[in-house]
Each structure stands twice: as structure tokens, then as C-alpha cells.
Amino acid sequence: MDALKLDLSHYRELLKQYIDTQDESALYEAEQISKRSIQHNISLEEIINTHINALEDIYPDLPENIQHSMSFLLEVMISYGLALQEFQDLREAQLEIKSEISVAARVQNTLLSTEKPDVEGFDIGVVSVPANQMNGDYHHFIHHEDGTVGITVADVIGKGIPAALCMSMIKYAMESFPSEHKNPSEILESLNRVVERNVDPSMFITMFYALFNPAASTISYSSAGHEPGFYYHAADDTFEEIRAKGVVLGVTDMAQYRQYEREIHAGDMIILLTDGVTECRQGDRFIESEEVLEVIKGFSHLSAQELVENVYKHFEKLQDFHLRDDFTLIIIKKDV
Amino acid sequence: MNLTVDVQEHTGKSIVLLAGEIDAYTAPKLKETLLSLTSKEGNKVEVNLEQVNYMDSTGLGVFVSGLKSTKENNSELKLVQLQDRVYRLFEITGLIDVIDVDKTVRGGY
């Protein structure tokens, strides 16, 4: 890289001013020079050279031993100069990686994008926010021709880029399943084999898969070790945990998943989430799931989308706007 | 918050005493220790989690790697004395059915 030259005459004036007066303002200006030099990639050797030249201009009769000492200083500083250059190179490389990650995050958003279904008689709200640039949570809606909707909520254990890449694999595996193959238990069993064969041993995926049938007002579901969601019974104003037994995907190739089914009644809500919601922390204190439900209840008069957004805002604020984990919340409300 | 990993060696058996939090920051250290023990042919490894008050899913990943390693090395892995919050994590993820988890056992060595 072409190192820029320092303005010798300006430096000389300043140096002379300081030697004559020891004025603070000259020191302040010296600090500015050092900042500008870093910005413009002026090498350390260049600064010392400028200093020597300025000194020789001001004192044409500079004793020879002082001149020698300056050459000595120049030599001593060489390694520092190299280290600084290295630091600047690293900083540039880091900026490059950062911009690549943000491009990757955009690609991920496009690859994993999904459309919230518009279903008569139901109101659906979704919020999914990554803690870092790339989201390890995943949710997806599949619209089947018969009017049913497949709903996936998943969390890759292991965060960041590897997790995000893994999610893309899952999505494409699911799309490659034949369309008559849409039972939650079958889907999880097939996916489990895909993950078990293809993913690193310390990485695994929790997933809740539901087949929602709006016409019949039923939902059937299976869970692969996923954080349980909740069912809200409007009739007696209570929440019930949606428990479903099953081991996380990718741990054992023999895994079987039980399938459950329930009917959805008027005014009821189905709440699906990831552990980023239930593992919220306020300082050192964990938020209990009762508290999450209280918050949901507090906003339940709103539309499903406003409801999930308000719940998210509540917990974002509670955690000082710094998420520790990816946060995904889906709410399906049946119209009254 | 930190995690201390203390290993006591007995004949044919290693006991790992953990204290603190298992998360993305502390997990690599635990993984290294755990795998060095489970990779010993036929070794019985017992991990005591009584002093672990927080574990996130990264911790589960460590124990799953440990489990896979026991299968390759004919060793055994057992987790004992888990606090409720940590036990719940194993329960939800269905891992209690694949990993030997004993919530209640006290001492015994």
C-alpha cells in the first residue's frame, strides 16, 4: 500500500512551537496528527523520519550524536511499525468477514422465507428474531392442496453460521418428501434419519411439527424434544402445556415419534415457541413460563400479529434489548 | 459465571464434579474433559451436576457427544443429581430416554 507522506512543514512548525513555548495546544495538535496518520496509513517510520527531518531543519547544527540516536530509534521502532500494519490488515479482513456474514444472513432469509397462511376462521401471528446476525430458529408453513397447513417450529442446538446452514438442509429435506407424506410422526421420523446421517455429533435439532386442518378445526402434532408450546382454553380461561414425547432429531437413528391430535374450539389459542421465549432472563433471574403466559394473556385482546409483536417487545425490553437466544413465537387464534 | 470441572479418578471409574453454569462459553472446556474420559475403553464416567444451576442447549450437545463417544469406546456415561431446571431440559428433549440420567442418587461412591 502506498504510504502517504506527512506534511513536513506543518510538523516542523508545530514542533518548533512546542519546543519554544511548551504550549498545550501544540500537544493537542500533535495528537490530531497521530490520529490522522493512522487513518491515512502513514507508517511509524515515516513519522520518525519526518521528526528527524524537522529537527534537522530547525537545528541545522544538530550534534552528530543526536542524529545517530535518531537513526537508532528508527531501527528500534521497525517491529512496531510492522505490527501496526498487521493489525490494520486484520481489521480490514474482519470487516470483509462481517460483510460476508451479512450477505449470508440475507441469503438465509431468502432461502428460509415462508409465508404466513391466511386461513378463514383463524388468526395467525408470527415473530422470529435472531439474537445474532443469523437465526438458529426456524419456522415454516407448508400449504397443502387439500387446505391443510404444515407448521414447523425448530431450533438448531449450536448457534451461528453452522446452525443456520443446517436449517437450510432441513428445509430442503422436507421439501423433497412426497406430498402424501404429511403426518407429523412420519415427517419427524424421516427427518431424524437425515439429521442423524448428515450432521456433526454435537449438533442436533429440536422440532415441533403440526398438521393444521382449518376446515375440521383440528391440529395433529408430534415433537422431537422441542420446547413445549401451550394451549389456551377460552372456556375456562386456562393454559395447558402441549406435551408431546419424543427425542431430539439426530441423536439416535431408531427414534419414533408419537402423534397427538386435538380439536380447536372458538376463542382458543395455540402457542408455539422456542426456548428463546421461555429461557428469557432478567439479570440473573429466569423468567418462569407462568410469567410468559401472563404477558400473553395481557395482550390477548389484540390481533394475533399484534399479540406476538407486543410479547416480543415486552421481553426484549426486559432483557435490556439484548437477546441471549433466538426468539420465535407463533400464535394461532380461533375466531369466536 | 464460570464452570469448574473437577475429576476424581478411581479404578475403572471417573467421577466428574461440576459447579457453575454450562453454556456456550464453558461448554468447550467440559467437552474436552468429558471426551477424554469417555474415550478410555471400558471406562465408567459419572458426572455429578448437583452444583450446576444453569445449563443451556449447548450443554446438551456436550453430553450427546459424550454419549456417542461411549458407544465407540465401549465406555459408560451416567449423569447424577441434577437440579430441577437442568433435569427438565433432559426431559423435554427426550434425552432421558437415551442418556442414563439419575436425578435422585446421592453419593454412592
Side-chain angles (χ1 to χ4, degrees):
Chain A
M1 201 179 305
D2 228 13
L4 286 154
K5 293 262 177 208
L6 208 57
D7 181 352
L8 175 62
S9 61
H10 176 61
Y11 190 94
R12 186 174 52 220
E13 290 311 308
L14 218 56
L15 181 62
K16 189 164 184 329
Q17 184 195 340
Y18 184 69
I19 292 172
D20 291 345
T21 64
Q22 277 103 65
D23 182 12
E24 284 280 332
S25 71
L27 279 186
Y28 172 76
E29 190 50 37
E31 196 187 323
Q32 298 306 310
I33 287 180
S34 114
K35 281 183 185 157
R36 277 202 302 274
S37 300
I38 291 171
Q39 263 172 24
H40 293 112
N41 255 328
I42 291 172
S43 71
L44 205 56
E45 292 93 317
E46 170 67 17
I47 294 179
I48 295 171
N49 254 327
T50 307
H51 186 83
I52 295 171
N53 290 337
L55 212 54
E56 283 170 348
D57 285 354
I58 304 170
Y59 305 105
D61 307 324
L62 195 67
E64 214 172 300
N65 51 2
I66 301 285
Q67 287 183 32
H68 290 324
S69 86
M70 284 300 177
S71 307
F72 190 84
L73 175 65
L74 194 59
E75 206 54 40
V76 170
M77 297 316 284
I78 280 179
S79 291
Y80 280 93
L82 291 176
L84 180 67
Q85 186 57 49
E86 202 175 318
F87 166 75
Q88 274 163 347
D89 290 348
L90 282 175
R91 195 155 65 172
E92 271 169 39
Q94 199 206 14
L95 278 177
E96 209 170 292
I97 292 172
K98 242 187 170 165
S99 89
E100 277 180 16
I101 293 176
S102 79
V103 173
R106 280 208 300 279
V107 172
Q108 187 203 17
N109 280 338
T110 314
L111 282 178
L112 301 183
S113 67
T114 184
E115 221 171 284
K116 195 171 76 174
D118 205 359
V119 184
E120 214 190 304
F122 291 88
D123 182 18
I124 302 178
V126 181
V127 64
S128 183
V129 185
N132 296 310
Q133 267 189 319
M134 295 187 85
N135 202 338
D137 278 2
Y138 169 77
H139 71 277
H140 192 68
F141 298 101
I142 305 169
H143 311 252
H144 296 294
E145 275 178 13
D146 62 1
T148 58
V149 181
I151 305 172
T152 313
V153 187
D155 186 1
V156 186
I157 307 312
K159 292 186 181 27
I161 300 169
L165 290 175
C166 182
M167 233 44 266
S168 304
M169 183 189 86
I170 290 291
K171 181 184 173 189
Y172 286 97
M174 287 174 82
E175 283 180 352
S176 71
F177 295 150
S179 60
E180 66 273 12
H181 178 113
K182 58 191 175 203
N183 268 335
S185 62
E186 279 178 273
I187 287 193
L188 291 186
E189 278 156 27
S190 307
L191 268 183
N192 177 55
R193 287 189 290 271
V194 173
V195 177
E196 214 269 332
R197 268 191 302 239
N198 297 297
V199 179
D200 179 80
S202 62
M203 208 147 106
F204 51 82
I205 298 164
T206 75
M207 183 181 283
F208 183 89
Y209 190 91
L211 185 65
F212 172 42
N213 186 339
S217 199
T218 58
I219 189 162
S220 51
Y221 54 90
S222 295
S223 171
H226 194 77
E227 183 70 24
F230 295 92
Y231 189 93
Y232 172 73
H233 298 274
D236 51 6
D237 192 27
T238 55
F239 288 95
E240 177 199 346
E241 200 173 65
I242 303 178
R243 281 263 172 173
K245 220 171 134 51
V247 69
V248 294
L249 303 176
V251 173
T252 156
D253 58 353
M254 306 294 285
Q256 300 232 314
Y257 298 94
R258 245 183 87 178
Q259 187 169 314
Y260 305 78
E261 183 169 311
R262 61 169 78 211
E263 236 178 279
I264 312 165
H265 302 287
D268 287 1
M269 290 194 283
I270 291 169
I271 298 152
L272 306 177
L273 37 74
T274 56
D275 61 2
V277 180
T278 42
E279 291 273 299
C280 278
R281 273 199 200 190
Q282 185 180 28
D284 271 344
R285 186 180 76 88
F286 289 98
I287 307 300
E288 298 298 332
S289 47
E290 288 75 30
E291 213 169 318
V292 176
L293 297 177
E294 277 303 307
V295 175
I296 291 177
K297 204 186 241 180
F299 292 118
S300 62
H301 58 284
L302 298 171
S303 77
Q305 191 57 36
E306 287 171 317
L307 167 52
V308 293
E309 278 167 17
N310 276 288
V311 173
Y312 169 69
K313 278 183 210 145
H314 175 92
F315 286 108
E316 186 194 29
K317 196 173 157 201
L318 206 67
Q319 296 182 101
D320 288 329
F321 302 95
H322 177 79
L323 292 188
R324 289 175 66 105
D325 197 359
D326 306 329
F327 184 109
T328 300
L329 178 65
I330 298 181
I331 292 185
I332 303 170
K333 280 169 100 170
K334 178 164 174 157
D335 297 347
V336 183
Chain B
M1 193 65 192
N2 222 325
L3 178 74
T4 58
V5 182
D6 197 11
V7 182
Q8 298 173 353
E9 290 290 358
H10 302 252
T11 16
K13 186 174 182 179
S14 309
I15 291 169
V16 184
L17 296 167
L18 301 178
E21 296 189 357
I22 310 176
D23 59 17
Y25 301 100
T26 59
K29 176 174 153 191
L30 173 61
K31 186 174 175 180
E32 194 186 325
T33 310
L34 189 67
L35 293 187
S36 76
L37 298 173
T38 52
S39 61
K40 281 186 209 158
E41 185 73 21
N43 194 24
K44 287 188 169 67
V45 184
E46 186 176 296
V47 184
N48 187 311
L49 291 109
E50 193 180 8
Q51 303 297 326
V52 174
N53 50 21
Y54 175 76
M55 181 171 96
D56 71 6
S57 42
T58 335
L60 289 176
V62 171
F63 292 115
V64 169
S65 310
L67 177 76
K68 294 198 172 177
S69 151
T70 60
K71 289 180 180 160
E72 285 158 20
N73 299 290
N74 197 26
S75 53
E76 288 172 28
L77 174 66
K78 184 175 186 164
L79 311 182
V80 300
Q81 287 184 258
L82 289 76
Q83 293 190 13
D84 286 346
R85 183 174 278 279
V86 176
Y87 184 79
R88 180 180 175 270
L89 213 51
F90 282 93
E91 211 177 12
I92 285 172
T93 52
L95 289 169
I96 38 170
D97 294 334
V98 260
I99 300 180
D100 188 357
V101 181
D102 196 335
K103 189 184 177 186
T104 49
V105 163
R106 284 192 174 261
Y109 46 82

